Every structure is written in structure tokens, then in C-alpha cells.
Amino acid sequence: AQSVAQPEDQVNVAEGNPLTVKCTYSVSGNPYLFWYVQYPNRGLQFLLKYITGDNLVKGSYGFEAEFNKSQTSFHLKKPSALVSDSALYFCAVRDVEGGANNLFFGTGTRLTVIP
Amino acid sequence: NAGVTQTPKFRVLKTGQSMTLLCAQDMNHEYMYWYRQDPGMGLRLIHYSVGEGTTAKGEVPDGYNVSRLKKQNFLLGLESAAPSQTSVYFCASSYVWPYEQYFGPGTRLTVT
């Protein structure tokens, strides 16, 4: 069975500092991993995905994520945080046993960027 | 492009009442999904569809039914609402693999 874990419910970072939001995964077979962001009272927005290839994936709004197979991690990173990055972030893994592009989501990490 | 839209945005039901949530997408996506979001639990898949006329169960299908009569629409029905179905419901759609899902703005449902 597939699953993802986001070990931190809340991450606080000062504006201008680098940020990291952690995600670990458990899959049987190749991992297909995603990051989404949710702003207040909005739907989820896609940030980036890892399917295959380079371990460092670049996405929207200056975010990137590093796929680490040995540590089964897919941490989201940004070199310099903005106040506008404050939101709820979800890591997800594709359900290889289900149909379509079904995803299993983590429980989310609330990021607060402090001015 | 409107993307993925959901109707209604808010709804309050009494226990035992029924309702239908409508999802529409204008991106010609084959796949569509219904999720519920509850505090501390992330998003959980209720039902999904891989094409017009098809539906399948997700992780938490009990108490819900769905229909996909047209490619652009995906309906979620609650036949007899229960307080445990109080949640925020999100619809999403996507092309076939390996494309990402696009989400609607959500419907906040309260069952009293």
C-alpha cells in the first residue's frame, strides 16, 4: 500500500530565510510524488511532481523538491521565503493499485512565514 | 477557461436530507475525482471516474453516490445526510497519466 507522511503539522520561518517542508513516502514500486499548496478558502494548486529523472524537481513560485530514494523522502524547499508563501502544503503519492491518477495525500503542513 | 467549478459553495443540511453537488470542468479531462477534506486528515478520495459513463469507489465511498453522464460533469450525491458527512468537498480533474490534478474551489457542507 502507498502512503505519505508529513511529520510536521506546523512550520514557522522568517521572511527571507530558506524553508523546508518535509515528506516521506512508502510505496511498492516506483514512487510518483506530488506537492500541492492550499491557500485559505481555496482549492489545492499543483506545485511540482517527480515522475522520473533528475532528483531535484523545480516547480511553481520558486519552489523545488528533492527526491531521495535511499531516505524515501521528497522534501519541499525554497531558498528565500515570502510572507505570501504562508499556506497549507500537501505531499501526495500516486496510488499505483487504483485507477486513474488517484493520489494519497498527507495530512498537510501549515507554513507560516513571519515578516 | 473557468477550469474546475463547483456548485454550491456552501450548504447546510439536516440529518436525513439529500443533496447533489455538481462539478464541471472545461479542460476536456478524461479523469474526475471527488475528495473530502477534514481537519488533520488531509484529503481522502470518495469516488472517481476514468471517463464518461464510468465511476469507481475510492477510499471512503460509503454514504455517497456519483454519476458521470457527460464528460465535463461529475455529480456527487448524498442520499441521507449524516453529521459525519460534515466536511469540505473538493472536485478535481486530470488528463491521463502522468498529468497532475486540477482542483475546484470546494463546497463546505454542514449536516446538523
Side-chain angles (χ1 to χ4, degrees):
Chain A
Q2 290 77 219
S3 66
V4 291
Q6 295 181 244
E8 300 161 317
D9 292 335
Q10 174 82 41
V11 170
N12 296 328
V13 63
E15 186 177 21
N17 282 3
L19 69 87
T20 299
V21 182
K22 296 179 180 177
C23 173
T24 59
Y25 66 89
S26 175
V27 300
S28 52
N30 293 324
Y32 302 116
L33 299 157
F34 298 77
W35 275 103
Y36 283 83
V37 61
Q38 185 180 29
Y39 297 103
N41 300 313
R42 304 285 295 276
L44 276 69
Q45 296 179 29
F46 169 76
L47 280 178
L48 51 81
K49 64 185 176 187
Y50 173 81
I51 306 299
T52 187
D54 290 342
N55 290 341
L56 186 63
V57 180
K58 294 190 181 298
S60 305
Y61 313 121
F63 284 93
E64 58 190 26
E66 186 171 9
F67 171 69
N68 188 317
K69 189 172 184 178
S70 63
Q71 298 185 6
T72 62
S73 67
F74 189 55
H75 300 332
L76 182 69
K77 300 180 179 184
K78 188 174 183 181
S80 178
L82 300 172
V83 173
S84 57
D85 292 330
S86 297
L88 188 57
Y89 290 82
F90 289 98
C91 181
V93 64
R94 188 194 182 199
D95 175 12
V96 296
E97 297 173 3
N101 294 340
N102 296 355
L103 298 175
F104 284 114
F105 284 86
T107 53
T109 298
R110 187 165 301 280
L111 173 69
T112 300
V113 181
I114 303 166
Chain B
N1 273 356
V4 180
T5 58
Q6 294 183 232
T7 309
K9 289 185 170 51
F10 303 93
R11 185 72 185 269
V12 178
L13 288 179
K14 294 185 177 180
T15 298
Q17 289 185 321
S18 63
M19 77 162 294
T20 300
L21 282 66
L22 171 64
C23 175
Q25 53 94 6
D26 61 1
M27 295 174 282
N28 201 34
H29 286 166
E30 285 295 327
Y31 300 160
M32 296 188 75
Y33 317 81
W34 275 108
Y35 293 91
R36 59 178 290 171
Q37 182 181 27
D38 301 294
M41 301 189 72
L43 277 78
R44 293 180 292 170
L45 183 65
I46 304 171
H47 286 282
Y48 65 97
S49 168
V50 298
E52 182 178 316
T54 75
T55 63
K57 295 180 180 179
E59 184 183 357
V60 288
D62 294 342
Y64 305 95
N65 56 77
V66 287
S67 64
R68 186 132 179 240
L69 299 179
K70 294 182 179 181
K71 185 177 184 178
Q72 63 268 33
N73 295 338
F74 196 30
L75 278 64
L76 178 71
L78 285 73
E79 291 183 346
S80 180
S84 61
Q85 293 178 305
T86 293
S87 188
V88 181
Y89 291 85
F90 287 100
C91 176
S93 67
S94 73
Y95 291 114
V96 298
W97 180 250
Y99 291 93
E100 60 274 13
Q101 296 180 20
Y102 292 80
F103 282 79
T107 295
R108 186 173 295 274
L109 174 66
T110 302
V111 183
T112 62

